Amino acid sequence: MSVCGAMVALAGSGMANAEARAAAPTFQLPFPCGETWIGSSESFAHTGNEIDFNGKANDGNADLGRTVVAAAAGTVVISAYQTNNGFGNLVKIRHADGSATLYAHLNSRSVGQGASVAQGQKIGTLGKSSAKYKIIAHLHYEQRSASGAIVRASFNGSTFNYPGQKVKSNNCGGGTAPKKAPSTSNPFTAAKVCGSGFKQIDSAPLGSQGRVVLMYSSATGQNCVTTLRNGGTGKIGASAYLEVKGKSRQTDSGSYQYYAGPVKAKAVRTCVKWGGSLGSAKYDSPFEHCG
């Protein structure tokens, strides 16, 4: 099987209430209905719960270009070529309960950031892209909890048997994409709040009221965090924070109508924690984005 880096990826939502747990999806194999794949977790860099999928064991680049689909319905929070962690072409989908799935080393990506995807919808093609590693074509796949931890994967309600289990896909469509949030009256975007040169690298929902966004400027090496309310009249308790590993946390909190922040700090090749709140909804990331 191929060599694949175990990189710190993007965490899912921190919401852990009963309603969120009830909405946990039944994940299906990230490949079209009826296909059989074998998964390995024995790469030297893996921590144990990541899976490298191939059509057959030791089949080289035979799987290059094969279709990869969403394991469950959700919202695309990352669709990008990443150079600082070895993932290459990465799609990350956040699901209704705040959990997330990651699909790395893709040859191509079929969905953009912010897109709502249905279970079984094509999101890209299998590849061997990586800016750090020379690898053979495979899909690096992860399931992550709402707290950001890589968890043991399950498909069709059954836990994947690590390593080397052959799994037949029951990802046979029929699902629907989550509804997009209605248009809002908030005139501010994360780009407007953080300023010129910042690009979004992660976000997390804060219930139905808004989201907290992490941005980065490659020109200055700064991260920026802002919490955005979807809209509404009056003010709401809101906060945004950013903590560079080894340094004190910086926080902006108060009663705001549209947003909290921006909170900025330089963090070149240094892990950060970030998060925020709107009312009772709160998100706290682990230390991540270390490139």
Side-chain angles (χ1 to χ4, degrees):
M1 294 294 291
S2 56
V3 175
C4 178
M7 292 70 62
V8 176
L10 306 170
S13 167
M15 295 178 64
N17 54 43
E19 181 179 355
R21 289 194 296 270
T26 299
F27 295 103
Q28 298 293 348
L29 205 68
F31 300 104
C33 182
E35 293 186 358
T36 299
W37 291 76
I38 187 168
S40 172
S41 59
E42 295 182 315
S43 169
F44 79 95
H46 283 176
T47 61
N49 288 330
E50 305 96 327
I51 305 174
D52 287 350
F53 277 112
N54 284 100
K56 296 180 181 178
N58 304 312
D59 65 356
N61 290 318
D63 302 314
L64 185 67
R66 294 184 67 177
T67 296
V68 177
V69 303
T75 301
V76 178
V77 292
I78 284 188
S79 177
Y81 184 84
Q82 298 196 336
T83 59
N84 61 348
N85 54 21
F87 274 146
N89 277 315
L90 171 71
V91 170
K92 188 239 184 177
I93 300 173
R94 182 169 287 118
H95 307 289
D97 64 336
S99 63
T101 47
L102 286 82
Y103 314 76
H105 307 315
L106 298 173
N107 190 54
S108 63
R109 293 173 279 113
S110 304
V111 291
Q113 183 174 300
S116 294
V117 296
Q119 187 173 62
Q121 179 178 333
K122 182 177 179 179
I123 60 171
T125 57
L126 188 145
K128 53 179 181 176
S129 61
S130 176
K132 294 183 67 175
Y133 304 102
K134 186 176 181 180
I135 57 178
I136 293 170
H138 68 280
L139 177 69
H140 176 97
Y141 174 84
E142 298 177 11
Q143 287 179 10
R144 287 185 170 256
S145 69
S147 66
I150 305 172
V151 298
R152 294 181 69 83
S154 64
F155 303 106
N156 202 37
S158 298
T159 301
F160 177 80
N161 293 324
Y162 293 80
Q165 183 184 7
K166 289 184 178 179
V167 183
K168 185 176 181 180
S169 176
N170 289 302
N171 203 338
C172 300
T176 58
K179 293 181 179 180
K180 284 184 173 290
S183 59
T184 67
S185 59
N186 189 340
F188 297 95
T189 64
K192 286 183 178 180
V193 174
C194 287
S196 176
F198 283 92
K199 292 185 178 180
Q200 181 175 320
I201 58 173
D202 204 352
S203 69
L206 295 170
S208 61
Q209 299 185 81
R211 61 195 178 108
V212 58
V213 180
L214 175 66
M215 305 192 81
Y216 181 74
S217 170
S218 58
T220 65
Q222 283 189 314
N223 290 92
C224 177
V225 178
T226 180
T227 294
L228 297 171
R229 189 182 182 191
N230 286 338
T233 59
K235 295 183 178 181
I236 187 174
S239 68
Y241 74 82
L242 177 61
E243 180 180 341
V244 180
K245 196 167 187 178
K247 296 184 179 181
S248 299
R249 178 175 296 189
Q250 300 181 48
T251 303
D252 176 50
S253 62
S255 294
Y256 302 113
Q257 182 172 357
Y258 292 122
Y259 66 88
V263 182
K264 298 180 181 180
K266 193 169 184 178
V268 178
R269 293 185 292 277
T270 306
C271 302
V272 298
K273 280 186 178 181
W274 59 282
S277 63
L278 280 171
S280 62
K282 185 179 181 182
Y283 173 73
D284 296 290
S285 84
F287 275 115
E288 58 182 5
H289 299 296
C290 305

